[in-house]
Coordinates of all heavy atoms in Angstrom, one line a residue:
M1 N 44.4 -130.4 -25.1 CA 44.6 -129.0 -25.1 C 45.8 -128.7 -26.0 O 46.8 -129.5 -26.1 CB 45.0 -128.5 -23.7 CG 45.3 -127.0 -23.7 SD 46.0 -126.3 -22.2 CE 45.0 -126.9 -21.0
E2 N 45.8 -127.7 -26.8 CA 46.9 -127.2 -27.6 C 47.0 -125.7 -27.4 O 46.1 -125.0 -27.2 CB 46.5 -127.4 -29.1 CG 46.3 -128.9 -29.5 CD 45.8 -129.0 -30.9 OE1 46.6 -128.5 -31.8 OE2 44.8 -129.5 -31.1
I3 N 48.3 -125.3 -27.3 CA 48.5 -123.9 -27.2 C 49.5 -123.5 -28.3 O 50.5 -124.2 -28.6 CB 49.2 -123.5 -25.9 CG1 48.3 -123.9 -24.7 CG2 49.6 -122.0 -25.8 CD1 48.9 -123.7 -23.3
Y4 N 49.2 -122.4 -29.0 CA 50.0 -122.0 -30.1 C 50.5 -120.6 -29.8 O 49.8 -119.8 -29.1 CB 49.1 -121.8 -31.4 CG 48.6 -123.2 -31.9 CD1 47.4 -123.7 -31.4 CD2 49.3 -123.9 -32.8 CE1 46.9 -124.9 -31.8 CE2 48.8 -125.2 -33.2 CZ 47.7 -125.6 -32.7 OH 47.2 -126.9 -33.1
I5 N 51.7 -120.2 -30.2 CA 52.3 -118.9 -29.9 C 52.7 -118.2 -31.2 O 53.3 -118.9 -32.2 CB 53.5 -119.0 -29.0 CG1 54.0 -117.7 -28.5 CG2 54.6 -119.9 -29.6 CD1 55.0 -117.7 -27.4
L6 N 52.5 -116.9 -31.3 CA 53.0 -116.1 -32.4 C 53.2 -114.7 -31.8 O 52.3 -114.1 -31.4 CB 51.9 -116.0 -33.5 CG 52.3 -115.0 -34.6 CD1 53.5 -115.5 -35.4 CD2 51.1 -114.9 -35.6
D7 N 54.5 -114.3 -31.8 CA 54.9 -113.1 -31.1 C 54.3 -113.1 -29.6 O 54.7 -114.0 -28.9 CB 54.3 -111.8 -31.9 CG 54.9 -111.8 -33.2 OD1 56.1 -112.1 -33.4 OD2 54.2 -111.3 -34.2
N8 N 53.5 -112.2 -29.3 CA 53.0 -112.2 -27.9 C 51.6 -112.7 -27.8 O 50.8 -112.4 -26.8 CB 53.1 -110.8 -27.2 CG 52.2 -109.8 -27.8 OD1 51.7 -110.0 -28.9 ND2 52.0 -108.7 -27.1
R9 N 51.1 -113.4 -28.8 CA 49.8 -113.9 -28.9 C 49.8 -115.4 -28.6 O 50.5 -116.2 -29.2 CB 49.2 -113.6 -30.2 CG 49.0 -112.2 -30.5 CD 48.3 -112.0 -31.8 NE 48.4 -110.6 -32.1 CZ 48.9 -110.1 -33.2 NH1 49.3 -110.9 -34.1 NH2 48.9 -108.8 -33.4
L10 N 48.9 -115.8 -27.8 CA 48.7 -117.3 -27.5 C 47.3 -117.6 -27.9 O 46.3 -116.8 -27.6 CB 48.9 -117.6 -26.0 CG 50.3 -117.5 -25.5 CD1 50.4 -117.8 -24.0 CD2 51.3 -118.5 -26.3
F11 N 47.1 -118.8 -28.4 CA 45.8 -119.3 -28.8 C 45.7 -120.7 -28.2 O 46.5 -121.5 -28.5 CB 45.6 -119.3 -30.3 CG 44.2 -119.7 -30.8 CD1 43.3 -118.8 -30.9 CD2 44.0 -121.0 -31.1 CE1 42.0 -119.1 -31.3 CE2 42.7 -121.4 -31.5 CZ 41.7 -120.4 -31.6
M12 N 44.7 -121.0 -27.4 CA 44.5 -122.2 -26.8 C 43.2 -122.9 -27.3 O 42.2 -122.3 -27.3 CB 44.4 -122.1 -25.2 CG 44.3 -123.4 -24.5 SD 44.4 -123.2 -22.7 CE 43.0 -122.3 -22.3
I13 N 43.4 -124.2 -27.6 CA 42.2 -125.0 -27.9 C 42.1 -126.1 -26.8 O 43.0 -126.8 -26.5 CB 42.4 -125.7 -29.3 CG1 42.5 -124.7 -30.4 CG2 41.2 -126.7 -29.5 CD1 42.9 -125.3 -31.7
V14 N 40.9 -126.1 -26.2 CA 40.6 -127.1 -25.2 C 39.5 -127.9 -25.6 O 38.4 -127.4 -25.8 CB 40.3 -126.4 -23.8 CG1 40.0 -127.5 -22.8 CG2 41.4 -125.5 -23.4
E15 N 39.7 -129.2 -25.8 CA 38.6 -130.1 -26.1 C 38.0 -130.7 -24.9 O 38.8 -131.3 -24.0 CB 39.0 -131.2 -27.1 CG 39.4 -130.7 -28.5 CD 39.8 -131.8 -29.4 OE1 39.2 -132.9 -29.3 OE2 40.6 -131.6 -30.3
T16 N 36.7 -130.6 -24.7 CA 36.1 -131.0 -23.4 C 34.8 -131.7 -23.8 O 34.2 -131.5 -24.8 CB 35.8 -129.8 -22.5 OG1 34.8 -129.0 -23.1 CG2 37.0 -129.0 -22.2
P17 N 34.2 -132.4 -22.8 CA 32.9 -133.0 -22.9 C 31.9 -131.9 -23.0 O 32.1 -130.7 -22.5 CB 32.7 -133.9 -21.7 CG 33.9 -133.8 -20.9 CD 34.9 -132.8 -21.5
L18 N 30.7 -132.1 -23.5 CA 29.7 -131.1 -23.6 C 29.3 -130.5 -22.2 O 28.9 -129.4 -22.2 CB 28.4 -131.6 -24.3 CG 28.6 -131.9 -25.8 CD1 27.4 -132.6 -26.4 CD2 29.0 -130.7 -26.6
D19 N 29.3 -131.3 -21.2 CA 28.9 -130.8 -19.9 C 30.1 -130.2 -19.1 O 30.0 -130.0 -17.9 CB 28.3 -132.0 -19.1 CG 29.2 -133.1 -18.8 OD1 30.3 -133.2 -19.4 OD2 28.9 -134.0 -18.1
F20 N 31.2 -129.9 -19.7 CA 32.3 -129.3 -19.0 C 32.0 -128.0 -18.4 O 31.3 -127.1 -19.0 CB 33.5 -129.1 -20.1 CG 34.7 -128.6 -19.5 CD1 35.6 -129.4 -18.8 CD2 35.1 -127.2 -19.7 CE1 36.7 -128.9 -18.2 CE2 36.3 -126.7 -19.1 CZ 37.1 -127.6 -18.4
D21 N 32.4 -127.8 -17.2 CA 32.1 -126.5 -16.4 C 33.4 -125.7 -16.3 O 34.3 -126.0 -15.5 CB 31.6 -126.9 -15.0 CG 31.2 -125.6 -14.2 OD1 31.6 -124.5 -14.6 OD2 30.5 -125.8 -13.2
W22 N 33.5 -124.7 -17.1 CA 34.8 -124.0 -17.2 C 35.1 -123.3 -15.9 O 36.2 -123.3 -15.4 CB 34.6 -122.9 -18.3 CG 35.9 -122.1 -18.5 CD1 36.1 -120.8 -18.0 CD2 37.0 -122.4 -19.3 NE1 37.3 -120.4 -18.3 CE2 37.9 -121.3 -19.2 CE3 37.3 -123.4 -20.0 CZ2 39.1 -121.3 -19.8 CZ3 38.6 -123.4 -20.7 CH2 39.5 -122.4 -20.6
D23 N 34.1 -122.7 -15.2 CA 34.4 -122.0 -14.0 C 34.9 -122.9 -12.9 O 35.9 -122.6 -12.2 CB 33.1 -121.3 -13.5 CG 32.7 -120.2 -14.4 OD1 33.6 -119.5 -15.0 OD2 31.5 -119.9 -14.5
T24 N 34.3 -124.1 -12.8 CA 34.8 -125.1 -11.8 C 36.2 -125.6 -12.1 O 37.1 -125.6 -11.2 CB 33.9 -126.3 -11.7 OG1 32.5 -125.9 -11.4 CG2 34.3 -127.4 -10.8
A25 N 36.5 -125.8 -13.4 CA 37.8 -126.2 -13.8 C 38.9 -125.1 -13.5 O 40.0 -125.4 -13.0 CB 37.8 -126.6 -15.3
M26 N 38.6 -123.9 -13.7 CA 39.5 -122.7 -13.4 C 39.7 -122.6 -11.9 O 40.8 -122.3 -11.5 CB 39.0 -121.4 -14.1 CG 39.0 -121.4 -15.6 SD 40.7 -121.4 -16.2 CE 40.7 -123.1 -16.9
Q27 N 38.7 -122.8 -11.2 CA 38.9 -122.8 -9.7 C 39.8 -123.9 -9.2 O 40.7 -123.6 -8.4 CB 37.5 -123.0 -9.0 CG 36.8 -121.7 -8.7 CD 35.6 -121.9 -7.9 OE1 34.9 -123.0 -7.9 NE2 35.2 -120.9 -7.1
R28 N 39.6 -125.1 -9.7 CA 40.5 -126.2 -9.3 C 41.9 -125.9 -9.8 O 42.9 -126.2 -9.1 CB 40.0 -127.5 -10.0 CG 40.9 -128.7 -9.6 CD 40.4 -130.0 -10.2 NE 41.3 -131.0 -9.9 CZ 42.4 -131.3 -10.6 NH1 42.7 -130.5 -11.7 NH2 43.2 -132.3 -10.3
L29 N 42.1 -125.4 -11.0 CA 43.4 -125.1 -11.6 C 44.2 -124.1 -10.7 O 45.4 -124.3 -10.5 CB 43.2 -124.5 -13.0 CG 44.5 -124.4 -13.9 CD1 45.1 -125.8 -14.1 CD2 44.1 -123.7 -15.1
S30 N 43.5 -123.2 -10.1 CA 44.2 -122.2 -9.3 C 44.7 -122.8 -8.0 O 45.5 -122.2 -7.3 CB 43.2 -121.0 -9.0 OG 42.2 -121.5 -8.1
T31 N 44.3 -124.0 -7.6 CA 44.8 -124.6 -6.4 C 46.0 -125.6 -6.6 O 46.5 -126.1 -5.7 CB 43.7 -125.5 -5.7 OG1 43.3 -126.6 -6.6 CG2 42.4 -124.6 -5.5
L32 N 46.4 -125.8 -7.9 CA 47.5 -126.7 -8.1 C 48.8 -126.1 -7.7 O 49.0 -124.9 -7.8 CB 47.5 -127.1 -9.6 CG 46.3 -127.8 -10.1 CD1 46.4 -128.1 -11.6 CD2 46.1 -129.1 -9.4
P33 N 49.7 -126.9 -7.2 CA 50.9 -126.4 -6.5 C 51.8 -125.5 -7.4 O 52.3 -124.5 -6.9 CB 51.7 -127.7 -6.2 CG 50.7 -128.8 -6.2 CD 49.6 -128.3 -7.1
R34 N 52.0 -125.8 -8.6 CA 52.9 -124.9 -9.4 C 52.2 -124.1 -10.4 O 52.8 -123.5 -11.4 CB 53.9 -125.8 -10.1 CG 54.8 -126.5 -9.1 CD 56.0 -127.3 -9.8 NE 56.9 -126.4 -10.4 CZ 57.8 -126.7 -11.3 NH1 58.0 -127.9 -11.6 NH2 58.6 -125.8 -11.8
Q35 N 50.9 -124.0 -10.3 CA 50.1 -123.2 -11.3 C 50.5 -121.8 -11.4 O 50.6 -121.2 -12.5 CB 48.6 -123.4 -11.0 CG 47.7 -122.8 -12.1 CD 47.8 -123.5 -13.4 OE1 48.2 -124.7 -13.5 NE2 47.7 -122.7 -14.4
Q36 N 50.7 -121.1 -10.3 CA 51.0 -119.7 -10.3 C 52.4 -119.5 -11.0 O 52.5 -118.5 -11.7 CB 51.0 -119.0 -8.9 CG 51.0 -117.5 -8.9 CD 49.9 -117.0 -9.7 OE1 48.7 -117.3 -9.4 NE2 50.2 -116.1 -10.7
E37 N 53.3 -120.4 -10.8 CA 54.6 -120.3 -11.5 C 54.3 -120.4 -13.0 O 54.9 -119.6 -13.8 CB 55.5 -121.5 -11.0 CG 56.8 -121.5 -11.7 CD 57.6 -122.7 -11.3 OE1 57.3 -123.4 -10.3 OE2 58.6 -123.0 -12.0
W38 N 53.5 -121.3 -13.4 CA 53.1 -121.3 -14.9 C 52.5 -120.1 -15.4 O 52.8 -119.5 -16.4 CB 52.3 -122.6 -15.1 CG 51.7 -122.6 -16.5 CD1 50.4 -122.4 -16.8 CD2 52.3 -122.9 -17.7 NE1 50.2 -122.5 -18.2 CE2 51.4 -122.8 -18.8 CE3 53.7 -123.1 -18.1 CZ2 51.7 -123.0 -20.1 CZ3 53.9 -123.3 -19.4 CH2 53.0 -123.2 -20.4
E39 N 51.5 -119.6 -14.6 CA 50.8 -118.4 -15.0 C 51.8 -117.2 -15.1 O 51.6 -116.4 -16.0 CB 49.7 -118.0 -14.0 CG 48.6 -119.1 -13.8 CD 47.8 -119.4 -15.1 OE1 47.9 -118.6 -16.0 OE2 47.1 -120.4 -15.1
D40 N 52.7 -117.0 -14.2 CA 53.7 -116.0 -14.3 C 54.6 -116.1 -15.5 O 54.9 -115.1 -16.2 CB 54.5 -115.9 -13.0 CG 53.7 -115.5 -11.8 OD1 52.6 -114.9 -12.0 OD2 54.2 -115.7 -10.7
F41 N 54.9 -117.4 -15.9 CA 55.7 -117.6 -17.1 C 55.0 -117.2 -18.3 O 55.5 -116.4 -19.1 CB 56.2 -119.0 -17.1 CG 57.0 -119.3 -18.4 CD1 58.2 -118.9 -18.6 CD2 56.4 -120.1 -19.4 CE1 58.9 -119.1 -19.8 CE2 57.0 -120.4 -20.5 CZ 58.3 -119.9 -20.8
V42 N 53.8 -117.7 -18.5 CA 53.0 -117.4 -19.8 C 52.6 -116.0 -19.8 O 52.3 -115.4 -20.9 CB 51.9 -118.4 -20.0 CG1 52.4 -119.8 -20.2 CG2 50.8 -118.3 -18.9
A43 N 52.5 -115.3 -18.7 CA 52.1 -113.9 -18.7 C 53.2 -113.0 -19.5 O 52.8 -112.0 -20.0 CB 52.1 -113.3 -17.2
L44 N 54.4 -113.5 -19.5 CA 55.4 -112.8 -20.3 C 55.1 -112.7 -21.8 O 55.4 -111.8 -22.5 CB 56.8 -113.6 -20.2 CG 57.4 -113.7 -18.8 CD1 58.6 -114.5 -18.8 CD2 57.7 -112.3 -18.2
F45 N 54.3 -113.7 -22.3 CA 53.9 -113.8 -23.7 C 52.6 -113.2 -23.9 O 52.2 -112.9 -25.0 CB 54.0 -115.2 -24.2 CG 55.3 -115.9 -24.0 CD1 55.6 -116.7 -22.9 CD2 56.4 -115.6 -24.8 CE1 56.8 -117.3 -22.7 CE2 57.6 -116.2 -24.7 CZ 57.8 -117.1 -23.6
Q46 N 51.8 -113.1 -22.8 CA 50.4 -112.6 -23.0 C 50.2 -111.1 -22.6 O 49.1 -110.7 -22.7 CB 49.5 -113.5 -22.0 CG 49.5 -114.9 -22.4 CD 48.7 -115.7 -21.4 OE1 49.0 -115.8 -20.3 NE2 47.7 -116.4 -21.9
A47 N 51.3 -110.4 -22.3 CA 51.1 -109.0 -21.9 C 50.1 -108.8 -20.8 O 49.2 -107.9 -20.9 CB 50.8 -108.2 -23.1
C48 N 50.2 -109.7 -19.7 CA 49.3 -109.6 -18.6 C 50.1 -109.2 -17.4 O 51.3 -109.5 -17.3 CB 48.7 -110.9 -18.3 SG 47.6 -111.6 -19.6
P49 N 49.5 -108.6 -16.4 CA 50.2 -108.3 -15.2 C 50.6 -109.6 -14.5 O 50.0 -110.6 -14.5 CB 49.2 -107.6 -14.3 CG 48.1 -107.2 -15.2 CD 48.1 -108.1 -16.4
E50 N 51.8 -109.6 -13.9 CA 52.3 -110.8 -13.1 C 51.3 -111.0 -12.0 O 50.7 -110.1 -11.4 CB 53.7 -110.5 -12.5 CG 54.3 -111.7 -11.9 CD 55.7 -111.5 -11.4 OE1 56.5 -110.8 -12.2 OE2 56.1 -112.1 -10.4
G51 N 51.0 -112.3 -11.7 CA 50.1 -112.7 -10.7 C 48.7 -112.9 -11.3 O 47.8 -113.3 -10.5
S52 N 48.5 -112.6 -12.6 CA 47.1 -112.9 -13.2 C 46.8 -114.4 -13.1 O 47.7 -115.2 -13.3 CB 47.1 -112.5 -14.6 OG 47.3 -111.1 -14.7
T53 N 45.6 -114.7 -12.8 CA 45.1 -116.1 -12.8 C 44.7 -116.6 -14.2 O 44.5 -115.9 -15.1 CB 43.9 -116.3 -11.9 OG1 42.8 -115.5 -12.4 CG2 44.2 -115.7 -10.5
S54 N 44.5 -117.9 -14.3 CA 44.1 -118.5 -15.5 C 42.8 -117.9 -16.0 O 42.6 -117.6 -17.2 CB 43.9 -120.0 -15.4 OG 45.1 -120.7 -15.1
N55 N 41.9 -117.7 -15.1 CA 40.6 -117.2 -15.4 C 40.6 -115.8 -15.9 O 39.8 -115.4 -16.7 CB 39.6 -117.3 -14.2 CG 38.2 -117.3 -14.6 OD1 37.8 -117.9 -15.7 ND2 37.3 -116.7 -13.9
E56 N 41.7 -115.0 -15.5 CA 41.8 -113.6 -15.9 C 42.4 -113.6 -17.3 O 42.3 -112.6 -18.0 CB 42.7 -112.8 -15.0 CG 42.0 -112.6 -13.6 CD 42.9 -112.1 -12.6 OE1 44.1 -112.5 -12.5 OE2 42.4 -111.3 -11.7
K57 N 43.2 -114.6 -17.7 CA 43.9 -114.6 -19.0 C 43.2 -115.3 -20.1 O 43.2 -114.9 -21.2 CB 45.3 -115.2 -18.8 CG 46.3 -114.3 -18.1 CD 47.6 -114.9 -18.1 CE 47.9 -115.7 -16.9 NZ 49.2 -116.2 -16.8
W58 N 42.7 -116.5 -19.7 CA 42.0 -117.3 -20.8 C 40.5 -117.0 -20.8 O 39.9 -117.1 -19.9 CB 42.2 -118.8 -20.5 CG 43.7 -119.2 -20.4 CD1 44.4 -119.5 -19.3 CD2 44.6 -119.3 -21.5 NE1 45.7 -119.8 -19.6 CE2 45.8 -119.7 -21.0 CE3 44.5 -119.1 -22.9 CZ2 47.0 -119.8 -21.8 CZ3 45.6 -119.2 -23.7 CH2 46.8 -119.6 -23.1
R59 N 40.1 -116.6 -22.0 CA 38.7 -116.1 -22.2 C 38.0 -117.0 -23.1 O 38.6 -117.5 -24.1 CB 38.6 -114.7 -22.7 CG 39.4 -113.7 -21.9 CD 38.6 -113.5 -20.6 NE 39.3 -112.5 -19.8 CZ 38.9 -112.3 -18.5 NH1 38.0 -113.1 -17.9 NH2 39.6 -111.4 -17.8
M60 N 36.7 -117.2 -22.9 CA 35.9 -118.0 -23.8 C 35.6 -117.2 -25.0 O 35.5 -116.0 -25.0 CB 34.6 -118.4 -23.1 CG 34.8 -119.3 -21.8 SD 35.5 -120.9 -22.1 CE 34.0 -121.7 -22.9
M61 N 35.6 -118.0 -26.2 CA 35.3 -117.3 -27.4 C 34.0 -117.9 -28.0 O 33.8 -119.1 -27.8 CB 36.5 -117.5 -28.4 CG 37.7 -116.9 -27.9 SD 39.1 -117.3 -28.9 CE 38.8 -116.2 -30.3
E62 N 33.3 -117.2 -28.8 CA 32.2 -117.8 -29.5 C 32.6 -118.3 -30.8 O 33.3 -117.7 -31.6 CB 31.1 -116.7 -29.7 CG 29.8 -117.2 -30.3 CD 28.8 -116.2 -30.4 OE1 28.9 -115.1 -29.8 OE2 27.8 -116.4 -31.3
R63 N 32.3 -119.6 -31.0 CA 32.7 -120.2 -32.3 C 31.7 -119.7 -33.4 O 30.5 -119.7 -33.3 CB 32.6 -121.7 -32.2 CG 33.1 -122.4 -33.5 CD 33.2 -123.8 -33.3 NE 31.9 -124.5 -33.0 CZ 31.8 -125.7 -32.5 NH1 32.8 -126.4 -32.3 NH2 30.6 -126.1 -32.1
M64 N 32.4 -119.1 -34.5 CA 31.5 -118.6 -35.6 C 31.6 -119.5 -36.8 O 30.7 -119.3 -37.7 CB 32.0 -117.2 -36.0 CG 33.4 -117.1 -36.4 SD 34.0 -115.5 -36.9 CE 33.3 -115.4 -38.5
F65 N 32.4 -120.5 -36.8 CA 32.5 -121.4 -37.9 C 33.0 -122.8 -37.4 O 34.0 -122.8 -36.7 CB 33.3 -120.9 -39.1 CG 33.4 -121.8 -40.3 CD1 32.4 -121.9 -41.2 CD2 34.5 -122.6 -40.4 CE1 32.5 -122.7 -42.3 CE2 34.6 -123.4 -41.5 CZ 33.6 -123.5 -42.4
Y66 N 32.4 -123.9 -37.9 CA 32.9 -125.1 -37.6 C 32.7 -126.1 -38.7 O 31.6 -126.2 -39.3 CB 32.2 -125.7 -36.3 CG 32.6 -127.1 -35.9 CD1 33.9 -127.3 -35.3 CD2 31.8 -128.2 -36.0 CE1 34.3 -128.5 -34.9 CE2 32.2 -129.4 -35.6 CZ 33.4 -129.6 -35.0 OH 33.8 -130.8 -34.6
L67 N 33.8 -126.7 -39.2 CA 33.7 -127.7 -40.3 C 34.0 -129.1 -39.8 O 34.9 -129.3 -39.0 CB 34.7 -127.3 -41.3 CG 34.8 -128.2 -42.6 CD1 33.5 -128.1 -43.4 CD2 35.9 -127.8 -43.5
Y68 N 33.1 -130.0 -40.1 CA 33.3 -131.4 -39.6 C 33.1 -132.3 -40.8 O 32.5 -132.0 -41.8 CB 32.4 -131.7 -38.5 CG 30.9 -131.6 -38.8 CD1 30.2 -132.8 -39.2 CD2 30.2 -130.4 -38.7 CE1 28.9 -132.7 -39.5 CE2 28.9 -130.3 -39.0 CZ 28.3 -131.5 -39.4 OH 26.9 -131.4 -39.8
E69 N 33.7 -133.5 -40.6 CA 33.6 -134.5 -41.7 C 32.4 -135.4 -41.5 O 32.0 -135.7 -40.4 CB 34.9 -135.4 -41.7 CG 36.1 -134.5 -42.1 CD 37.3 -135.3 -42.1 OE1 37.3 -136.5 -42.2 OE2 38.4 -134.7 -42.2

């Protein structure tokens, strides 16, 4: 995973196996002990309401271009 910041914009790249289940991963993430603390901190940069969950902040994007070697 990589997270980039520019002003109040964050861009996250998550490399996963092809069978990765985003919904299941987000559910598990919400149960981690310090996850809400992290979510509240990054909300300062994401212009999100405090208390927003990972699933409410991080959205899937459709890839429109991919270059490989």
Side-chain angles (χ1 to χ4, degrees):
M1 178 191 311
E2 299 174 57
I3 300 175
Y4 298 86
I5 186 169
L6 174 63
D7 298 325
N8 69 342
R9 296 184 189 123
L10 292 177
F11 185 86
M12 179 172 69
I13 298 173
V14 179
E15 292 187 30
T16 66
L18 293 175
D19 62 348
F20 182 76
D21 183 346
W22 181 265
D23 293 331
T24 300
M26 290 295 109
Q27 270 188 332
R28 182 181 173 277
L29 191 61
S30 70
T31 67
L32 298 179
R34 296 188 67 194
Q35 187 62 29
Q36 192 58 53
E37 179 183 347
W38 169 252
E39 298 298 344
D40 291 342
F41 174 72
V42 296
L44 299 172
F45 304 100
Q46 294 174 303
C48 295
E50 188 172 322
S52 295
T53 65
S54 293
N55 204 36
E56 292 169 326
K57 288 189 269 187
W58 300 108
R59 301 293 182 192
M60 298 295 287
M61 300 172 76
E62 183 177 344
R63 183 171 58 195
M64 58 179 282
F65 179 78
Y66 180 69
L67 180 65
Y68 61 94
E69 295 180 13

